[in-house]
Amino acid sequence: MHQDCEKILFSHEEIEKRCIELGEEMTTFYQDKKVPIVVGLLKGSVPFMSELIKHIDLDIEIDFMDVSSYEGTESVGDVRIVKDLDRSIRDQNILLVEDIVDTGKTLAKVKELLYQKGASDVKIITLLDKPSRRVQHVEADFVGFKVPDCFIIGFGLDYNQKYRNLPYVGILKKEIYIK
Ligand code: IMP
Ligand code: MG
């Protein structure tokens, strides 16, 4: 275990197992629907998305989007597109992949944005859900694991861009971010 990690919440094996289940669930869910474009939100979704799509048995396409959140003077967070999608998503089903849903501000905005671009349906799949922190009313349609209100690292999740490559999901030691 990494020295900055307080505790492992989900091991690599547990994550792999959950990704198989979720992939199979996606296969069944989209079986009789238009095959979705799987859209990952950079950078946190990358490890989860790589693991997940191996188990979706449909002719999906993948794409990525990068947004940066900033808070203006209003209380509602706003997002800026840093990297846009490569293709048009008009009349397409979108499966949006996230690493974690925390306050829900990012997802609420991105979901709205995808509908503005003409998507016919947007479903959200997230590796982790921190429901205790929700501000915006946006729920993931599919959740890997629920996590407590702690700072989470690993399997895509970072603190100052570090720890994304950890093969497990864990809690960051408080002394690392409280100085
Ligand atoms: P939201 O807009 O508050 O839901 O923020 C979601 C984004 O914040 C996620 O995509 C993560 O990038 C980041 N985030 C939220 N909680 C954590 C955490 O515990 N560890 C690392 N990143 C987090
Ligand atoms: Mg993120």
Side-chain angles (χ1 to χ4, degrees), residues 2-27:
H2 194 290
Q3 61 191 17
D4 297 348
C5 185
E6 176 84 54
K7 183 188 171 194
I8 293 178
L9 292 176
F10 307 106
S11 69
H12 191 212
E13 291 69 32
E14 287 174 282
I15 298 169
E16 279 179 329
K17 186 166 164 279
R18 190 69 186 113
C19 286
I20 295 174
E21 292 170 357
L22 287 170
E24 289 172 354
E25 200 179 336
M26 294 307 97
T27 307

Side-chain angles (χ1 to χ4, degrees), residues 70-125:
Y70 58 88
E71 301 255 336
T73 41
E74 301 103 306
S75 55
V76 179
D78 214 337
V79 298
R80 186 170 57 90
I81 300 179
V82 177
K83 187 228 168 278
D84 209 343
L85 297 169
D86 287 342
R87 55 157 293 172
S88 158
I89 55 165
R90 183 152 301 280
D91 302 325
Q92 300 294 322
N93 284 344
I94 302 295
L95 179 63
L96 184 61
V97 186
E98 248 293 38
D99 50 359
I100 187 167
V101 186
D102 186 22
T103 64
K105 288 179 183 177
T106 313
L107 270 186
K109 276 284 170 188
V110 173
K111 197 174 174 181
E112 193 185 309
L113 236 149
L114 294 174
Y115 277 120
Q116 278 170 12
K117 285 175 173 287
S120 50
D121 183 71
V122 179
K123 292 280 180 280
I124 296 168
I125 183 165

